[in-house]
């Protein structure tokens, strides 16, 4: 993608993302003008079409299809354009205002397309060359030249009609060229639209049950589907245990080799534990492929069933590999947080499962991390694998991962069910900083926030999120804000 943070990475495409490839993300684009002008001002129509072609060229990027219907310059063409956009199944609609145009050339398109709308008010140059303009000595030529610059003129008219028609809209004001700020905003809208599209086609696997007593993580699954779209599929721990029995010795050997290449496996990790984790990892890949999962939330005690306990105490390495492949996995059956992780990962910045660990008032940082899988592609250095002789608060023992999130800018996201039947996105930007961490076989990092540790914690908590959140690299609050706007979800930014 263009203008991505240097620290960002592109999620690897997998079979679990097949629905997004079967139904690609499409941007609708059209320019608006007034057909009366073309016979009056020679060359104006072709000039404006050239501007529109330049906009389209900036939209082209991997994972995005552009449906450009050209200049719409009459109400009759507007109605046809609305039908064509609807037939093309566009996800997002950009209206490029090239010159003055009637609002009647806009409203029918948007009413028929029924997708979020962004109005582009982009001037062709930073300013009119006034001295050259005023020396043209031809009122007709002067008016035609002025009309090529008057994109701002009809925007209030369009905004008024959208408001009266109860059509939400967004706008970008800037320049066609040499405007990094304006085009970054446009790129952010495109990225937010792509993420919304992926979420709408994502299949989230739910395996197991809630950790008993964690009332904050209990989620309204219907509300999640209604807000983000997608599908949730219940998968059984028993199925994963059965798949483990079909894994061959050769597959286990190949997977343990992958572990040694991917992780910094500590010397005290027993070969038998690595083989147990490898067997489960291969089975997890099969489970994901069978059900077409794009994300997974899981938790199961496994007590009373030796096969399931063996399975559930050996999932961490396999789930970390899945998370790194763009299939985020959240423990403790945290549906809300795996949604946050999927959002962050689709933006290309990671999305590792985390919670408060402790506060360091001496260095004014918050220690945050979690047991279970981590997002190893955003780790500072190579992720360590350590043996644990007890999974705190859980049944069993086995291997775990220890990592810190890459030093530098980070963004935290929590998907919040706020008690009034709605979802909100809670967002904070901070920094992952170097320093000592707790070497306990978990993910954990040191985060510094502009509010300071004390006020960050109090402000974040005041909005009532669950105790988990997703952390990604880079600052993407502006993109998350736009995603919220496209989903009609409130976005609360702490810092």
């Amino acid at each position: 993608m263009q203008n991505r943070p240097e620290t960002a990475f592109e999620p690897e495409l997998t079979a679990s993302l097949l629905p997004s490839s079967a139904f690609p993300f499409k941007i609708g684009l059209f320019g608006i003008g007034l057909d009366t002008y073309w016979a009056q001002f020679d060359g104006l129509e072709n000039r404006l079409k050239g501007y529109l072609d330049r906009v389209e060229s900036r939209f082209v990027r991997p994972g995005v299809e552009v449906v450009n219907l050209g200049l719409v310059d009459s109400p009759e063409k507007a109605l046809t354009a609305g039908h064509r956009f609807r037939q093309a199944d566009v996800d997002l609609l950009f209206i490029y205002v090239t010159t003055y145009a009637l609002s009647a050339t806009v409203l029918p398109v948007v009413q028929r397309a029924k997708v979020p709308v962004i109005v582009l008010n982009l001037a062709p140059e930073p300013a009119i060359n006034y001295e050259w303009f005023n020396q043209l000595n031809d009122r007709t030529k002067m008016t035609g030249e002025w009309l090529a610059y008057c994109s701002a003129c009809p925007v209030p008219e369009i905004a008024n009609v959208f408001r009266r028609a109860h059509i939400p809209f967004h706008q970008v004001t800037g320049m066609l060229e040499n405007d990094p700020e304006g085009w970054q905003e446009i790129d952010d809208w495109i990225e937010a639209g792509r993420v919304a599209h992926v979420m709408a086609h994502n299949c989230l696997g739910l395996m197991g049950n809630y950790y008993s007593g964690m009332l904050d993580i209990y989620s309204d699954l219907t509300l999640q589907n209604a807000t983000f779209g997608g599908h949730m599929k219940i998968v059984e721990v028993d199925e994963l245990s059965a798949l483990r029995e079909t894994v061959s010795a050769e597959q286990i050997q190949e997977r343990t080799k992958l572990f040694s290449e991917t992780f910094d496996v500590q010397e005290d990790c027993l070969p038998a534990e690595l083989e147990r984790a490898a067997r489960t990892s291969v089975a997890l890949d099969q489970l994901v492929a069978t059900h077409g999962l794009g994300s997974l939330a899981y938790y199961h005690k496994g007590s009373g069933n030796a096969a399931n306990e063996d399975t559930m105490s050996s999932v961490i390495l396999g789930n970390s590999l899945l998370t790194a492949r763009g299939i985020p996995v959240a423990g403790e059956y945290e549906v809300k947080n795996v949604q946050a992780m999927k959002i962050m990962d689709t933006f290309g910045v990671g999305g590792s499962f985390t919670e408060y660990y402790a506060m360091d008032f001496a260095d004014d940082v918050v220690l945050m991390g979690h047991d279970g899988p981590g997002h190893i592609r955003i780790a500072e250095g190579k992720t360590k694998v350590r043996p644990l002789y007890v999974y705190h608060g859980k049944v069993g023992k086995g291997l775990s991962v220890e990592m810190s999130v890459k030093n530098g800018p980070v963004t935290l996201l929590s998907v919040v069910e706020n008690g009034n039947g709605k979802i909100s996105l809670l967002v904070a930007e901070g920094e992952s900083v170097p320093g000592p961490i707790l070497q306990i076989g978990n993910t954990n990092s040191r985060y510094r926030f502009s509010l300071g540790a004390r006020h960050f914690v109090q402000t974040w908590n005041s909005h009532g999120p669950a105790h988990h959140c997703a952390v990604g690299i880079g600052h993407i609050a502006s993109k998350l804000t736009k995603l919220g706007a496209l989903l009609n979800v409130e976005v609360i930014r702490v810092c």
Side-chain angles (χ1 to χ4, degrees), residues 13 16-27 63-65 88-92 115-116 189-203 227-231 342-343 346-347 482-483 486-487:
L13 294 178
S16 67
L17 298 181
L18 177 61
S20 291
S21 60
F23 303 98
F25 173 56
K26 295 182 181 181
I27 293 174
V64 176
E65 290 189 14
D89 191 28
V90 298
D91 299 279
L92 197 60
V115 295
W189 279 116
I190 294 173
E191 271 291 271
R194 186 181 66 83
V195 172
H197 177 81
V198 170
M199 294 299 291
H201 294 82
N202 183 54
C203 182
T227 302
F228 296 108
H231 172 57
K342 184 68 177 181
I343 289 168
T346 308
F347 271 120
K482 290 176 174 60
L483 175 65
L486 296 179
L487 297 174

Side-chain angles (χ1 to χ4, degrees), residues 15 22 38 59 65 100-101 124 146 151 250 323 358 418 459-460 475:
W38 312 147
F59 280 8
E65 290 189 14
Y100 176 74
W146 157 61
S151 59
E250 182 181 0
T323 299
N418 52 32
T459 306
W460 180 271
H475 284 167

Side-chain angles (χ1 to χ4, degrees), residues 72 74-85 104-105 108-109 112:
V72 174
S74 69
E76 293 77 16
K77 288 184 180 180
L79 185 60
T80 299
H83 280 280
R84 288 183 62 188
F85 280 131
T105 63
V109 184
R112 177 61 58 174

